[in-house]
Amino acid sequence: MGRRFIVILATIAVMAPCVWTQDLALKGGTILTITDGTIKNGTVVIQNGKITAVGKDIKIPRGIKVIDVTGKYIMPGVIDSHSHIGLTDINEATDPVTPQIWMWEALEPGADSIRKTLAGGVTTVKTMHGSANVIGGVNVTIKLRYDRMVEELIIPGVRQQLKMALGENPKRLYGSKGRSPSTRMGNAYVARKAFIEAKEYKAKWDKYNKDKASGKKDLTPPKKDLRMETLKMVLEKKLSIDCHAYRADEIVWIINFCKEFDIDLMQLSHCIDGYKVADIMAEAGIFYGGWVDWWGFKEEAYDGCPYGMQIMHDAGVKIVINSDSPVEGRYLFRMAAKVLKYTDIPENEALKMITLNPAQSLELGDRIGSLEKGKDGDIAVFDKHPLDTTTKCLMTIIEGEIFFDYTKESITAKGGSR
Amino acid sequence: MKRIIHFVLMVFILYAGVNVFAASNTILIKNGTIVPVKGGSISIGDLLIENGKISKIGTRIKAPKGAKIIDASGKYVYPGLVAVMTAVGVTGYPGAGNDTDEVGTSTPHMDPYDAINPEDECIEVTRLGGVTTVHTVSGSRSVINGKSVVLHLEGNLADKMVAKRYVAQIINMGAKEQNKYPSTQPGVVSFLRDKFNQAKEYAKKKSEKDKKGQKDKTKKDKNDTASPAKRNLEMEALVPVVTGKTPVILITQDEVSIRNALEIIKEYKLKGIIRASSGILKYADRIAKENIPVIWAGTTGIPRRWEPFDLNYHTAAVLAEKRILFAFDPGGWGLGNRNVRDIPTSASISVAHGLSEKEALKALTINPARILGIEEEVGSLEVGKTANVAIWTGSPVQGRSRVETVIIKGNLIPMTSLQTRLYEKFKKIVFERMKKKK
């Protein structure tokens, strides 16, 4: 399975530069670069899908399509590193350990949720397995190229993340079936058992490959196990982890667990209690993934606290605002504005929470998340500052190609009532 | 020496306490932008609160003796927001604490008044968001759910919080049962017809018996044959609904349930209010013509595949244009949603997509007050109204605007909640731990 996935990624890598890129220049807008301040009355040039120039007084190369965005705001395309859009299925809720599941095999590029999300300036999402299982499936990071081929959506070369989930969801699901895990102890056991097994599996294969390489004859290869193949990739750091953990004790637990097995934990999702252990998260370099002000919708979410973002910010935790739903995924910029309501975090840092920070949590910080020369031409255009909550997205551009145009798709623009 | 310090401290504390007590009745907000919602704004204005009521609005109001003065320079003074269809006060703690949604397909006699917990943490969290009045319902998952109550988010006892009881009966047009009647939309409609017919019959019989009883009494008949009708609490709760005395909120999900709700309202001459989360625009003209108020819970809902992305975002603008009386409902994750303070998000989105800010503010304040029948008391800043006031750093439709002062029934509210306490607690813990590591 792992090899097949890599083959697909290789195909994409070869196909990517030539198929869908376009040249485009946006002229006259206020550019929120995220990494290099705000440029008034600036220009962004995209060639071959990459940003080739950002700034004032930029000479636009001849023959390039120019869009006048005078009076508008330009920012990097919004990134949602915890989404479930574009999937035909979300939870393989039949066993607490299902790492054999690869979410790109549920990816439906023509899904309406992708189209509706584009209207919110979103260009990249990590669309994920659900939280039914302690070890779920492998998530897939995609660009929202609505209705194209699967290969055109998956970002080439990106290290994908395996979904893990702790707490109430696996407990409730399997507990209600009279199965284990039905407690947090059970969750911990299930995860530990799977990774111990994976280590043994990896050792067997490593030995076999070593023996084979040294020319030994009459070797019998160990039995293939698709679940173990994926976990072996995690142990080899070909995959990383995104773990759903609400409570502070679980956050600390999974950080220690990943240290114990020497595996890479990138993001903690729905990290409601993150602020309580902000120092520990910062030290481990784990991204906070979560909402701004949701709280109390279940027991483990009771201590949700929007002011807590200030603690995390001051402690040095990188914060990512996620939607977890096709609803809020369409207006993450409005969620970012609420950060300013509850904390003294600066505007640009709030914008980072939906751009550069999620880009980094996806290990794509050098390719997306800010408007810089050499980065992908992923752009969202707004009619007002994106942190003004009466703003709306006017245009969403992926690698120089327009995927959403307000004037074409809006009923408000048409003045229609039905 | 220590004793003297203690004594001075005590005197100071007592003095301060008395002072606060004296001031709690009279508060003067000075030099803020007063946005009364009804009528025009005053750019540098004052608002005086006396005995729990707004007593004066204007400029350069002289502070009465002992009044607490709040400087609102550069700030905005709005009426407290009014949230409809909440579970504030009855959600309690997660798990065992939840008291919404009694078992049964028809439970009109359930009254959230009987389960209001003034210590519900949601009360403090909600009012810190500038929401001062909420409409709390008994449930929403059954066909006939129960009564509802309006609460001011201040007071240590349920009775002190209650602004109005028996506000509206809650009916859900889409509450289909599984594996039992009614399991379809037409089933729900005929289930309702049955109940309403029974209630009318019950009301008729009761009034006949009452009349007969009266007659017999006037005859001074010693062998009073008119025994009182056997009480049926379910029917008693439905009588004010079918006689048009108590309004009824009909929860709808789609155009089918909206049509059914409109038909039921017409057929039984109900004082109907439609709560809609989608499909409302198709019936907007009829709703406007029949003068039916709308609780609009669909702003953040996702339109169907073939519909434009901003159909729901734009809906409030159309409702306002057609002069339909409507209020925002945060919707979200339904009745168990504790994030009631987030109602301005629906307003923000609607303003981005065509609604005027003025109409958006009305839909968060005076419109819900009118729908709930408490517009004489709250929903705008007017002399004589209950002093439910919030001072904001900007418009509520701006996600970044903060609420700095909340006044409910003339009482200055401490700006603390479960969440501010958690913040203070863990700020200390986290940074002390970091210091030790260094």
Side-chain angles (χ1 to χ4, degrees):
Chain A
M1 180 69 75
R3 187 164 302 162
R4 193 143 58 87
F5 187 65
I6 287 161
V7 169
I8 290 260
L9 290 184
T11 320
I12 298 163
V14 173
M15 281 172 69
C18 51
V19 185
W20 50 75
T21 52
Q22 213 182 333
D23 296 350
L24 191 69
L26 297 161
K27 205 186 95 185
T30 301
I31 304 171
L32 307 166
T33 65
I34 303 299
T35 43
D36 194 23
T38 302
I39 304 163
K40 276 189 182 160
N41 196 12
T43 301
V44 181
V45 181
I46 303 164
Q47 284 174 292
N48 241 348
K50 298 275 180 197
I51 297 171
T52 52
V54 185
K56 253 187 145 105
D57 308 317
I58 300 279
K59 238 193 170 172
I60 299 168
R62 275 174 78 178
I64 280 188
K65 182 178 168 184
V66 179
I67 300 173
D68 186 2
V69 287
T70 306
K72 312 285 194 289
Y73 285 78
I74 300 172
M75 69 176 279
V78 174
I79 302 167
D80 188 353
S81 65
H82 190 125
S83 170
H84 299 287
I85 63 166
L87 299 173
T88 56
D89 300 291
I90 291 173
N91 264 314
E92 179 59 50
T94 49
D95 192 85
V97 181
T98 58
Q100 74 274 27
I101 299 300
W102 291 76
M103 294 316 288
W104 60 272
E105 289 173 329
L107 187 58
E108 186 193 5
D112 192 49
S113 53
I114 293 181
R115 193 168 163 217
K116 298 282 201 288
T117 302
L118 274 166
V122 183
T123 52
T124 300
V125 307
K126 179 174 81 201
T127 189
M128 302 178 66
H129 190 274
S131 54
N133 307 338
V134 176
I135 298 177
V138 181
N139 311 312
V140 60
T141 301
I142 58 170
K143 294 239 179 153
L144 298 187
R145 289 195 174 87
Y146 171 67
D147 217 13
R148 299 286 169 83
M149 304 304 282
V150 166
E151 289 74 10
E152 296 173 54
L153 273 70
I154 301 175
I155 299 177
V158 61
R159 179 162 72 149
Q160 302 291 356
Q161 303 179 354
L162 176 68
K163 170 74 176 278
M164 287 182 69
L166 304 172
E168 288 173 21
N169 289 10
K171 251 181 70 165
R172 188 183 55 236
L173 182 80
Y174 293 100
S176 69
K177 289 178 180 173
R179 283 177 68 179
S180 180
S182 67
T183 61
R184 283 185 168 79
M185 299 176 286
N187 287 347
Y189 165 74
V190 163
R192 180 161 280 118
K193 180 167 176 279
F195 274 97
I196 287 173
E197 207 182 311
K199 270 177 101 170
E200 291 166 0
Y201 180 82
K202 183 176 172 291
K204 265 189 219 162
W205 273 96
D206 285 351
K207 184 175 183 296
Y208 167 77
N209 287 330
K210 208 177 147 194
D211 290 350
K212 205 176 153 193
S214 66
K216 274 195 185 169
K217 295 269 158 68
D218 298 327
L219 291 169
T220 328
K223 208 178 156 212
K224 274 247 181 200
D225 179 330
L226 295 183
R227 290 154 78 241
M228 290 301 128
E229 280 292 309
T230 305
L231 296 187
K232 183 167 162 277
M233 285 177 78
V234 176
L235 291 169
E236 291 164 351
K237 306 201 175 191
K238 287 174 186 160
L239 294 170
S240 64
I241 304 281
D242 178 333
C243 186
H244 154 132
Y246 280 74
R247 252 170 46 173
D249 57 311
E250 284 167 346
I251 294 167
V252 175
W253 184 87
I254 187 70
I255 288 173
N256 290 339
F257 178 85
C258 290
K259 268 187 208 150
E260 179 185 333
F261 285 90
D262 189 25
I263 53 183
D264 286 346
L265 176 62
M266 290 308 299
Q267 176 172 316
L268 288 169
S269 283
H270 316 328
C271 195
I272 282 275
D273 277 1
Y275 65 96
K276 296 183 183 175
V277 288
D279 50 328
I280 294 162
M281 285 182 71
E283 203 186 337
I286 311 299
F287 285 81
Y288 162 95
W291 306 281
V292 177
D293 60 354
W294 281 108
W295 72 285
F297 48 89
K298 55 175 166 172
E299 194 172 328
E300 61 188 359
Y302 201 64
D303 284 0
C305 170
Y307 313 101
M309 280 207 175
Q310 185 75 56
I311 301 177
M312 288 190 285
H313 179 261
D314 294 346
V317 178
K318 289 221 167 153
I319 301 169
V320 170
I321 300 173
N322 291 147
S323 70
D324 185 37
S325 83
V327 175
E328 280 184 15
R330 299 168 305 154
Y331 47 83
L332 280 176
F333 53 96
R334 297 184 204 285
M335 303 296 116
K338 284 198 277 189
V339 172
L340 310 177
K341 182 190 193 91
Y342 293 106
T343 71
D344 295 325
I345 294 173
E347 276 189 12
N348 195 58
E349 292 301 311
L351 282 177
K352 271 188 192 167
M353 296 177 189
I354 55 169
T355 54
L356 192 62
N357 293 358
Q360 288 172 348
S361 88
L362 299 169
E363 299 180 88
L364 286 168
D366 56 339
R367 277 156 70 174
I368 53 174
S370 63
L371 298 179
E372 285 177 80
K373 200 176 159 184
K375 281 200 168 180
D376 290 357
D378 294 355
I379 286 175
V381 181
F382 286 87
D383 66 341
K384 298 177 195 166
H385 193 288
L387 295 176
D388 175 332
T389 44
T390 62
T391 190
K392 56 183 171 283
C393 176
L394 297 179
M395 202 174 272
T396 309
I397 296 164
I398 299 174
E399 294 177 27
E401 199 179 345
I402 299 167
F403 274 86
F404 167 74
D405 183 345
Y406 180 82
T407 53
K408 285 183 187 152
E409 300 200 25
S410 161
I411 189 174
T412 317
K414 286 171 193 152
S417 67
R418 240 178 71 184
Chain B
M1 189 63 200
K2 227 176 182 182
R3 266 194 193 166
I4 296 168
I5 292 173
H6 273 170
F7 178 75
V8 171
L9 220 70
M10 280 292 281
V11 169
F12 180 75
I13 289 166
L14 274 173
Y15 177 75
V18 167
N19 217 18
V20 164
F21 179 75
S24 72
N25 280 329
T26 309
I27 301 171
L28 178 64
I29 301 170
K30 280 199 79 75
N31 300 326
T33 299
I34 315 274
V35 187
V37 175
K38 261 169 111 179
S41 304
I42 307 171
S43 55
I44 300 176
D46 302 345
L47 186 142
L48 182 66
I49 295 162
E50 287 175 303
N51 301 318
K53 303 271 178 200
I54 297 170
S55 61
K56 256 184 203 169
I57 301 174
T59 49
R60 292 182 195 178
I61 295 173
K62 223 181 140 195
K65 218 176 163 187
K68 181 174 172 53
I69 296 173
I70 298 172
D71 179 23
S73 308
K75 307 285 162 60
Y76 298 80
V77 186
Y78 287 97
L81 307 185
V82 181
V84 289
M85 296 295 287
T86 81
V88 178
V90 289
T91 51
Y93 302 95
N98 189 359
D99 284 307
T100 60
D101 291 298
E102 182 52 66
V103 171
T105 311
S106 172
T107 59
H109 38 310
M110 291 305 131
D111 189 345
Y113 172 81
D114 294 323
I116 299 297
N117 173 12
E119 283 171 61
D120 184 347
E121 304 271 16
C122 197
I123 292 168
E124 286 184 344
V125 172
T126 303
R127 69 190 185 187
L128 254 55
V131 179
T132 56
T133 306
V134 298
H135 167 231
T136 290
V137 305
S138 48
S140 64
R141 290 189 200 151
S142 308
V143 177
I144 306 176
N145 292 279
K147 302 169 188 181
S148 54
V149 60
V150 171
L151 307 172
H152 294 308
L153 296 183
E154 194 273 337
N156 300 321
L157 296 167
D159 280 322
K160 286 194 176 165
M161 299 173 69
V162 170
K164 191 182 175 187
R165 287 185 67 186
Y166 314 117
V167 175
Q169 179 63 233
I170 311 296
I171 283 173
N172 189 339
M173 301 302 293
K176 296 181 275 194
E177 297 278 0
Q178 274 184 332
N179 305 321
K180 72 172 191 183
Y181 179 75
S183 69
T184 57
Q185 297 232 30
V188 170
V189 180
S190 55
F191 180 89
L192 277 174
R193 283 200 180 100
D194 266 339
K195 289 292 175 189
F196 288 164
N197 291 343
Q198 285 168 31
K200 281 172 106 169
E201 193 63 25
Y202 182 85
K204 207 173 126 196
K205 268 199 184 146
K206 194 166 181 300
S207 83
E208 276 168 10
K209 280 230 168 180
D210 287 351
K211 258 184 217 159
K212 197 158 173 263
Q214 283 293 3
K215 236 192 240 162
D216 290 351
K217 254 188 199 160
T218 49
K219 275 187 193 165
K220 288 183 183 171
D221 190 348
K222 275 175 193 167
N223 310 315
D224 186 357
T225 50
S227 61
K230 198 172 173 226
R231 288 185 66 182
N232 178 330
L233 296 187
E234 182 194 355
M235 286 302 130
E236 275 183 24
L238 283 179
V239 167
V241 174
V242 292
T243 51
K245 274 187 194 125
T246 299
V248 49
I249 295 172
L250 299 111
I251 301 170
T252 66
Q253 290 74 27
D254 47 29
E255 61 172 289
V256 179
S257 49
I258 289 173
R259 188 183 180 279
N260 290 343
L262 289 171
E263 290 299 312
I264 284 283
I265 291 170
K266 200 165 85 179
E267 201 175 316
Y268 288 91
K269 297 188 183 72
L270 304 177
K271 237 185 186 174
I273 298 159
I274 301 272
R275 182 199 190 257
S277 48
S278 83
I280 190 84
L281 291 187
K282 213 168 192 173
Y283 285 95
D285 285 330
R286 176 170 170 190
I287 286 167
K289 208 176 124 202
E290 293 176 8
N291 220 358
I292 294 166
V294 170
I295 293 170
W296 171 234
T299 311
T300 59
I302 305 174
R304 290 173 290 187
R305 175 178 272 273
W306 57 89
E307 291 171 340
F309 78 95
D310 57 346
L311 184 78
N312 291 43
Y313 297 161
H314 179 62
T315 293
V318 179
L319 296 179
E321 188 189 299
K322 294 189 187 293
R323 294 174 185 278
I324 292 168
L325 176 65
F326 78 97
F328 285 115
D329 172 332
W333 296 344
L335 196 53
N337 174 9
R338 284 187 176 79
N339 215 17
V340 174
R341 61 177 168 189
D342 196 37
I343 27 168
T345 290
S346 295
S348 308
I349 296 173
S350 302
V351 170
H353 295 272
L355 183 70
S356 72
E357 190 180 322
K358 202 178 162 200
E359 288 296 329
L361 282 172
K362 279 165 71 180
L364 295 171
T365 54
I366 192 69
N367 290 4
R370 278 175 70 189
I371 291 171
L372 301 170
I374 49 165
E375 75 273 24
E376 297 298 324
E377 199 193 335
V378 292
S380 60
L381 300 178
E382 287 178 84
V383 172
K385 278 199 174 181
T386 298
N388 285 5
V389 180
I391 305 178
W392 293 66
T393 58
S395 166
V397 305
Q398 284 297 345
R400 66 165 73 193
S401 298
R402 295 182 189 184
V403 180
E404 296 195 330
T405 305
V406 179
I407 296 163
I408 302 177
K409 291 187 285 175
N411 297 302
L412 204 51
I413 298 299
M415 295 301 278
T416 54
S417 71
L418 166 71
Q419 296 177 1
T420 63
R421 290 188 285 275
L422 282 167
Y423 169 72
E424 294 300 338
K425 178 178 169 186
F426 285 99
K427 186 171 71 173
K428 226 171 148 191
I429 291 175
V430 165
F431 292 110
E432 266 171 20
R433 213 157 43 203
M434 284 176 89
K435 241 192 232 163
K436 268 184 200 164
K437 263 182 202 163
K438 272 180 192 167

